[in-house]
Amino acid sequence: MPTTVKAYAATSATEPLTPFEVERRDVGPKDVAIDIKFAGICHSDIHTARSEWGPANYPVVVGHEIAGIVTEVGSEVTRYAVGDRVGVGCMVDSCGECKNCTAGSEQFCLQGNVGTYNSVGKDGRPTHGGYSQAIVVTEGFVCRIPDGIELDVAAPLLCAGITTYSPLRHWGAGPGKKVAVVGMGGLGHMAVKLAAAMGAEVTVLSQSLKKEEDGLRLGATHYYATSDPATFEQLKGSFDLIVNTVSAQLDFDAYLSLLDVNGAFVNVGLPEDPVSLRMFSVVMGNRSFAGSNIGGIRETQEMLDFCAEHGIGSEVEVIAADKVNEAYERVLASDVRYRFVIDTATL
Ligand SMILES: [Zn+2]
Ligand SMILES: [Zn+2]
């Protein structure tokens, strides 16, 4: 019999999130049932809850930064046992057979992956995410949270962590590399920690110097205000890699001028409208203007293991479920250092 669990749901694009009950499917042979302990609040949750990325299928329980404990496993599950500490990120299923899935890039499944929420599962039912007490997920989309990372600071790693880890790895952040991170928010603060742990020399490019102390504490060596035109003059041609975590229109030509020859400017944010840049900005200097979307499951596990090894978690503010609407307003006002995490015991 499916289990009914408490949750917080969006019921329309304009109403606040409210208490809700959601049904979780029976544990199938390959399924893992997870008692959710913490769920991070990602900006994508807000976009979805408010139908800003196309109409949502209401009611919808969002949340794709999930950390919890295994409570039941199916008969064919080999990798997890009751009591294990686990996490679930942005995806809960995919075809498992296409070239992208077999290469470990389930986020680019040719059949389309099944999102953790506001998607449709293989059983034809809508998926609901982490702002809830429990979830049932097929084993292949569950990651292990190593001992040594607390579950509250681990939850945001499942989206903010992998979203920044993947491009840093792909574009070779490491010793001898100069990496700039644009934006010092939920994604940006993770990019700083991860790039520093990889051995790169890290610079934060933020609108103001308000969070400079934090940036330096989290691993950056330099911190510049992008509101100061002198920053762009001073840093011309400096970086091997720039990770842009800001989802807004920027003067991309100005940012591209900060890249060294063969440097890459990689976007993980998604501005709503098309952006423009002069092709001179990439052609001169063999520069790349690129993008990166989360990471596959294998890489997500690698990221969690890396974080455990380096003692990295997210900087979080843990909140009760009834504070979620307030938290949304604060996320929109950039008034959080640096990720809200819902304590699901308060649902
Ligand atoms: Zn997210
Ligand atoms: Zn596939």
Side-chain angles (χ1 to χ4, degrees), residues 42-45 64-65 90 117 159-160 163 294 339:
C42 173
H43 208 139
S44 307
D45 300 349
H64 60 202
E65 295 183 335
C90 304
Y117 57 74
C159 174
T163 296
I294 51 173
R339 206 61 153 176

Side-chain angles (χ1 to χ4, degrees), residues 68-233:
I69 305 285
V70 174
T71 52
E72 190 182 344
V73 295
S75 55
E76 293 171 23
V77 168
T78 56
R79 282 191 272 153
Y80 298 102
V82 171
D84 284 356
R85 309 163 83 247
V86 293
V88 176
C90 304
M91 308 175 274
V92 288
D93 218 339
S94 72
C95 85
E97 288 165 1
C98 71
K99 69 180 168 78
N100 294 339
C101 283
T102 48
S105 297
E106 298 89 347
Q107 73 272 39
F108 306 125
C109 174
L110 296 174
Q111 311 285 325
N113 70 68
V114 177
T116 303
Y117 57 74
N118 198 39
S119 190
V120 178
K122 283 183 179 168
D123 58 2
R125 298 175 54 209
T127 58
H128 290 290
Y131 300 5
S132 63
Q133 291 176 314
I135 192 168
V136 177
V137 179
T138 190
E139 174 180 38
F141 284 77
V142 176
C143 292
R144 184 175 302 281
I145 296 175
D147 293 338
I149 319 181
E150 296 300 326
L151 292 180
D152 56 349
V153 303
L157 299 178
L158 276 300
C159 174
I162 186 60
T163 296
T164 48
Y165 180 89
S166 186
L168 289 168
R169 275 283 184 246
H170 187 86
W171 276 275
K177 296 286 175 150
K178 291 187 175 175
V179 175
V181 175
V182 182
M184 192 46 197
L187 291 169
H189 92 287
M190 284 311 311
V192 169
K193 285 188 172 199
L194 292 165
M198 288 172 189
E201 182 182 321
V202 182
T203 299
V204 178
L205 302 173
S206 184
Q207 250 174 340
S208 74
L209 296 177
K210 272 193 298 203
K211 299 174 182 169
E212 181 175 14
E213 206 175 294
D214 285 354
L216 300 179
R217 177 173 57 86
L218 301 184
T221 311
H222 315 282
Y223 203 107
Y224 291 89
T226 53
S227 53
D228 181 357
T231 293
F232 289 90
E233 212 36 62

Side-chain angles (χ1 to χ4, degrees), residues 319-338:
I319 58 164
D322 64 0
K323 292 282 184 280
V324 66
N325 295 300
E326 207 174 290
Y328 274 21
E329 294 312 315
R330 286 183 53 198
V331 168
L332 296 175
S334 299
D335 176 26
V336 52
R337 294 191 180 189
Y338 282 87

